[in-house]
Amino acid sequence: MDNFYTYIIESLSDQSWYIGHTNNIGRRLEEHNSGENKSTRAKRPWRLIFLRKFETNL
């Protein structure tokens, strides 16, 4: 079984939220904060405010 995560991050610059999903939350949060994600680049830094793990048979 693989684990996937639904997450919500909050921008520390304007308190907006971004909702996403990933199979590696540490890597994904680093991508948001390093500017690799075009959708969240302008509102860095980000902090994780919600995380839920799901198991899948994919």
Side-chain angles (χ1 to χ4, degrees):
M1 288 198 148
D2 293 324
N3 293 323
F4 282 84
Y5 304 88
T6 296
Y7 65 93
I8 302 173
I9 53 177
E10 180 183 31
S11 168
L12 297 179
S13 64
D14 72 355
Q15 289 71 49
S16 61
W17 288 4
Y18 177 91
I19 301 169
H21 59 89
T22 184
N23 64 347
N24 185 326
I25 190 62
R27 183 200 75 231
R28 191 65 176 130
L29 188 56
E30 176 62 29
E31 290 171 355
H32 286 297
N33 281 315
S34 68
E36 293 179 48
N37 185 295
K38 185 177 178 182
S39 300
T40 58
R41 184 180 304 146
K43 297 184 177 187
R44 292 178 287 166
W46 295 89
R47 71 178 179 121
L48 185 65
I49 61 170
F50 175 84
L51 180 66
R52 181 157 181 198
K53 180 171 98 172
F54 296 90
E55 293 180 356
T56 181
N57 290 325
L58 295 178

